[in-house]
Amino acid sequence: MMQNYNIYINEKALIITSVVNNQVSKAQIIDDQHFDLSKFYGEILEKKEDLFYIVSDNPSETFQNLAKTVTVIEAAGGLVKSPEESFLFIKRLGKWDLPKGKLEEGEVIEETAVREVEEECGVVVNQLNQKITDTYHMYQSKGEVILKITYWYSMDVDSEKQLTPQTEEDITEARWLTKDKLHMVFENTYPSILEVLKKASV
């Protein structure tokens, strides 16, 4: 199955796909010839549309080519489930999020995912399960346009021990939330996190 790439820029999205749904409104189709992702970052914030599509016969190849025009950072994180069927969420900069962080030199991506979850929340991951999905978002740091690729994994812990949010990473809260409380997350989170939850069937 051919992969689509949803690159989030604030509340907007650039979607690289082989097929565009004809029902989509308020969207703009973009020609990928000579397309520069770094320049597009500045332009998209000024546009009224929320969705932008690049239609490609080979979305993976197109994504790889576009990624060469920006600085790419790899990160990993996890959706952690407890024996009580609760999920671990953090609140960072006023929004609900999932624990994640950047790949360090010498690490494999699975190690990064577990380390970041444990560091940001003060838990011990007992089981690393399958990868859920990859997400992509862009931001600007010190004048440089960054494309962050985050690899998300399903994880388990053996108990809901007291959580310790890593405040130096701007995390103000870490909580176990049951499914009936997840509406709080859905109403105040990032599009990329919603994508992870959807792929995980949460």
Side-chain angles (χ1 to χ4, degrees), residues 63-125:
F63 174 80
Q64 297 299 329
N65 288 335
L66 294 185
K68 295 174 184 176
T69 67
V70 292
T71 298
V72 175
I73 290 177
E74 293 182 297
L79 177 64
V80 184
K81 190 176 181 181
S82 77
E84 289 78 21
E85 302 287 318
S86 296
F87 295 94
L88 175 57
F89 286 88
I90 60 174
K91 188 169 272 189
R92 191 194 323 252
L93 301 175
K95 284 184 175 281
W96 289 108
D97 203 345
L98 291 170
K100 65 181 181 302
K102 295 176 186 175
L103 177 72
E104 291 187 354
E105 189 174 350
E107 279 186 324
V108 297
I109 206 69
E110 292 86 353
E111 292 173 338
T112 303
V114 171
R115 175 182 57 76
E116 287 291 343
V117 167
E118 294 184 338
E119 288 179 355
E120 293 197 339
C121 301
V123 296
V124 174
V125 173

Side-chain angles (χ1 to χ4, degrees), residues 4-40:
N4 291 343
Y5 295 84
N6 301 333
I7 304 174
Y8 297 104
I9 304 170
N10 295 346
E11 300 303 314
K12 300 174 184 283
L14 171 64
I15 301 171
I16 304 171
T17 181
S18 56
V19 179
V20 174
N21 187 338
N22 290 330
Q23 303 301 315
V24 171
S25 60
K26 291 187 178 178
Q28 182 175 341
I29 309 257
I30 296 171
D31 185 354
D32 70 331
Q33 290 281 58
H34 312 297
F35 185 81
D36 187 316
L37 202 51
S38 179
K39 292 179 181 176
F40 180 70

Side-chain angles (χ1 to χ4, degrees), residues 25-201:
S25 60
K26 291 187 178 178
Q28 182 175 341
I29 309 257
I30 296 171
D31 185 354
D32 70 331
Q33 290 281 58
H34 312 297
F35 185 81
D36 187 316
L37 202 51
S38 179
K39 292 179 181 176
F40 180 70
Y41 175 85
E43 296 171 0
I44 191 174
L45 299 176
E46 304 298 323
K47 294 180 181 289
K48 62 183 179 181
E49 295 90 353
D50 294 327
L51 288 175
F52 301 84
Y53 285 88
I54 291 178
V55 182
S56 169
D57 292 334
N58 190 333
S60 177
E61 181 180 355
T62 298
F63 174 80
Q64 297 299 329
N65 288 335
L66 294 185
K68 295 174 184 176
T69 67
V70 292
T71 298
V72 175
I73 290 177
E74 293 182 297
L79 177 64
V80 184
K81 190 176 181 181
S82 77
E84 289 78 21
E85 302 287 318
S86 296
F87 295 94
L88 175 57
F89 286 88
I90 60 174
K91 188 169 272 189
R92 191 194 323 252
L93 301 175
K95 284 184 175 281
W96 289 108
D97 203 345
L98 291 170
K100 65 181 181 302
K102 295 176 186 175
L103 177 72
E104 291 187 354
E105 189 174 350
E107 279 186 324
V108 297
I109 206 69
E110 292 86 353
E111 292 173 338
T112 303
V114 171
R115 175 182 57 76
E116 287 291 343
V117 167
E118 294 184 338
E119 288 179 355
E120 293 197 339
C121 301
V123 296
V124 174
V125 173
N126 299 102
Q127 179 68 42
L128 175 68
N129 302 315
Q130 74 275 12
K131 188 166 78 166
I132 301 169
T133 191
D134 305 334
T135 60
Y136 312 88
H137 80 274
M138 290 175 61
Y139 61 95
Q140 198 165 28
S141 177
K142 300 177 182 176
E144 187 175 23
V145 177
I146 309 294
L147 170 63
K148 181 182 280 188
I149 305 174
T150 305
Y151 310 96
W152 296 99
Y153 292 85
S154 169
M155 303 179 189
D156 295 323
V157 295
D158 62 5
S159 67
E160 290 186 10
K161 294 179 180 176
Q162 184 174 353
L163 301 171
T164 306
Q166 192 178 21
T167 54
E168 59 266 35
E169 291 293 332
D170 299 314
I171 302 170
T172 54
E173 188 176 356
R175 283 180 63 180
W176 292 106
L177 296 176
T178 52
K179 278 196 172 184
D180 62 324
K181 296 287 195 307
L182 291 186
H183 61 89
M184 296 190 303
V185 175
F186 297 143
E187 294 165 1
N188 184 29
T189 191
Y190 302 97
S192 57
I193 299 302
L194 293 176
E195 186 175 323
V196 174
L197 299 178
K198 181 179 179 181
K199 290 285 179 65
S201 300

